[in-house]
Amino acid sequence: MNLPTSGTRPRRVAAWVLAPLLALTACGTGAGDGTVKAGAPAAAGPSGDPVAGVRTVDSVAALLPARVREAGTLRIGSAIGTPPGAYYPDGPDKAPAGQDIDLANAVAKVLGVRLERQDASFETILPALGSGKYDVGTGNFGVTAERLKTIDFVTYINDGQGFAVRRGDTTLGTKVTRLTQLCGLTIGTGAGTTFEATLTARRGVCAEAGRKPYEVKVYSENAATLTALQQGRIDVIMSTINGLRHQAARPASRTAFLGEYHRLDVGFAFRKNSPLTKAFRAAVDHLIEDGTYARILAKWGTTASAIDASRINPPEHTPEN
């Protein structure tokens, strides 16, 4: 059976007002019911929604704990605000859209469960998993050694870290490959992210090179970071590769993408030793095998981040610079 998704979300007026600057992408909708065997093709619905044809796979759903199968629901904490991962194309009172939304919905359909989605700020989701507030979290969470101490991951894409500047700004050239290129500049990034952690951990590289340190400013909303860049309060943004590439492709953002700095596996997040990870990995693998996964990534322009198979808790990719 395919069950609908529901949820609650806080009003984020500032993010919605700035939505035209972030990007607007059309999103189809659809629904369907039934059960299929693993490996059977899942076709897109009449609207072109790649999730519409996804069906419950009994052998995968059986990997869920009995209590979850009986309840038929999972609580998901979602960080929403950055396309193409998850954002509000039609305002905060309408349904969210994006790659992470489609993938989570598709996994839920394979598992035969209903998602109770609650929007949350990025930095609050991982701690809330440990407290039991959510069963699973999404927000383009990169797999790091530090996070693996307290969080389990089931990977679904390979994204990572990149940089962007105001369009026309040639200070950093066309690509950032070393953090020493940022010395003396002010960098804006998201609170509680791998970007903040990387910049903080490597803050001494400029002093070691005999140069002025860079400054880091942290923002809770992607829209606020973009506004700070456009107003000249920061010189460069560090964020997701896919998000910055998507943003730079929209003329209204007035940004230029400076390439990939460091790749990271990205996954669904769970409390440590969660009994849900095997079922989620099997569901992602099923979507990869039946072609739904490729159609979702193609819809959101993130095919370059595709993985061949999902993994549980892979080791962090170590940056070279």
Side-chain angles (χ1 to χ4, degrees), residues 79-289:
I80 298 177
T82 306
Y87 72 117
Y88 292 114
D90 300 309
D93 291 325
K94 303 296 183 180
Q99 168 196 268
D100 288 0
I101 303 297
D102 280 352
L103 285 171
N105 288 345
V107 165
K109 284 190 169 187
V110 172
L111 296 175
V113 297
R114 179 173 179 265
L115 294 179
E116 294 182 349
R117 177 173 282 112
Q118 181 174 338
D119 295 3
S121 59
F122 179 92
E123 66 271 21
T124 66
I125 293 176
L126 297 186
L129 291 171
S131 70
K133 183 175 182 179
Y134 309 124
D135 299 304
V136 57
T138 59
N140 209 83
F141 290 112
V143 180
T144 67
E146 186 62 28
R147 287 176 175 169
L148 285 170
K149 295 176 182 177
T150 56
I151 298 294
D152 280 344
F153 288 96
V154 172
T155 61
Y156 59 85
I157 61 166
N158 179 261
D159 192 350
Q161 304 173 335
F163 295 92
V165 294
R166 290 182 296 277
R167 189 173 298 144
D169 185 346
T170 59
T171 303
L172 293 171
T174 59
K175 188 171 184 179
V176 173
T177 58
R178 303 179 314 279
L179 291 184
T180 49
Q181 290 175 252
L182 306 175
C183 296
L185 301 180
T186 301
I187 309 158
T189 196
T193 62
T194 62
F195 321 114
E196 181 186 13
T198 296
L199 292 169
T200 300
R202 305 292 303 283
R203 195 184 294 271
V205 297
C206 293
E208 293 170 4
R211 302 177 62 185
K212 181 180 178 181
Y214 53 70
E215 180 183 354
V216 180
K217 290 188 177 181
V218 177
Y219 300 87
S220 295
E221 297 282 354
N222 183 62
T225 313
L226 179 58
T227 298
L229 180 71
Q230 293 171 336
Q231 294 179 349
R233 289 182 279 117
I234 59 175
D235 301 300
V236 58
I237 293 175
M238 187 179 190
S239 189
T240 68
I241 293 167
N242 287 334
L244 293 177
R245 182 180 284 122
H246 180 97
Q247 182 174 275
R250 274 61 190 171
S253 73
R254 305 194 304 277
T255 62
F257 178 55
L258 296 186
E260 302 177 6
Y261 171 68
H262 173 47
R263 280 273 175 177
L264 282 172
D265 290 313
V266 171
F268 294 105
F270 306 84
R271 66 175 174 82
K272 203 65 182 173
N273 301 315
S274 169
L276 300 174
T277 55
K278 290 183 179 179
F280 267 71
R281 179 178 62 181
V284 174
D285 283 343
H286 171 78
L287 295 170
I288 292 173
E289 291 166 7

